Amino acid sequence: MSRRIILLLLLLLPAPLPAQQPGPPLHDELAAVEIEPPLPLPEPRPRWPIAAGAVLLLGGGLLALYLRKRKQKPLPAPLAHETALLRLTQADGLIDSHDSAAFAALFDQTLRRYLEERFRLAASRQTAGELIRLLADSEEKQLQAHSEQLQTWLALCEAAKFAGAALNDADMAELTAQLRAFVEATKDALPRSASPN
């Protein structure tokens, strides 16, 4: 046990410092070394070009975003009479090809869509008989004025679609002209800008 204590004491005792040898004085060494003057610091760069670049980049990004949003504005929906008249232009090709069944289907769809969009009638979901009763009971003055004509058109379309009644070219041309006249006489006079945004 005593050996362990002695060993422990030896480890804990500080080691003796080596003897220092006297050397030349320190100030003589410093005098012998040439000290160069300090290097000049570089001139600080102006920061305004960086700020101007950042502002230009941000402005360009905002302008691009604005132009992109401006291009994506939805086009105004076509009015009911514009859609009906556009669909009636397809009827000319069907008259030329003497296709009375396709003409009757186009005529019926155009008429029903126009009644639905312009007069807010559920025309596409009604049978011809139901739609004729609906038109007869309507209080809309424009529909009352054309009630007989509308009923005749619907009956002709039903006969052509389901009974196979053929329409000649003159009948199809006359029906197209009559429907165009009806659409022009009853078209909605509201401007596009009146629609909600």
Side-chain angles (χ1 to χ4, degrees):
M1 176 99 153
S2 62
R3 286 186 198 171
R4 289 185 185 166
I5 293 176
I6 295 174
L7 185 62
L8 184 64
L9 287 175
L10 287 176
L11 287 175
L12 292 176
L13 289 176
L17 295 174
Q20 293 184 348
Q21 297 176 357
L26 186 59
H27 59 78
D28 290 340
E29 286 180 17
L30 289 177
V33 176
E34 271 188 46
I35 297 178
E36 295 183 18
L39 295 174
L41 293 175
E43 294 278 331
R45 292 184 178 172
R47 293 183 184 231
W48 68 266
I50 296 171
V55 167
L56 285 175
L57 187 63
L58 180 65
L62 289 175
L63 180 64
L65 183 64
Y66 169 75
L67 291 175
R68 186 173 182 193
K69 279 191 171 189
R70 188 171 169 213
K71 282 184 181 179
Q72 292 177 349
K73 278 189 178 177
L75 295 174
L79 298 175
H81 72 275
E82 293 173 340
T83 305
L85 293 174
L86 183 63
R87 289 179 59 86
L88 282 176
T89 59
Q90 299 172 1
D92 296 334
L94 297 174
I95 294 170
D96 292 341
S97 64
H98 313 292
D99 192 352
S100 63
F103 173 83
L106 174 73
F107 188 90
D108 186 57
Q109 287 174 358
T110 304
L111 176 61
R112 287 173 180 266
R113 267 195 197 160
Y114 181 70
L115 292 173
E116 201 164 85
E117 292 173 6
R118 170 64 180 90
F119 297 103
R120 305 287 185 243
L121 296 175
S124 61
R125 289 179 262 160
Q126 309 287 330
T127 64
E130 291 171 339
L131 186 53
I132 288 171
R133 279 193 300 279
L134 189 65
L135 291 170
D137 295 340
S138 175
E139 295 179 9
E140 177 69 42
K141 291 180 182 179
Q142 291 179 331
L143 291 178
Q144 288 175 354
H146 296 91
S147 179
E148 289 181 32
Q149 192 176 31
L150 292 169
Q151 291 175 21
T152 304
W153 291 342
L154 289 168
L156 278 172
C157 289
E158 287 293 302
K161 286 193 308 186
F162 299 114
L167 298 169
N168 61 32
D169 293 350
D171 291 339
M172 291 189 282
E174 184 181 341
L175 285 172
T176 303
Q178 288 174 356
L179 185 54
R180 273 195 181 104
F182 170 71
V183 168
E184 287 293 339
T186 60
K187 68 182 178 182
D188 195 1
L190 292 174
R192 285 184 200 274
S193 60
S195 63
N197 291 337

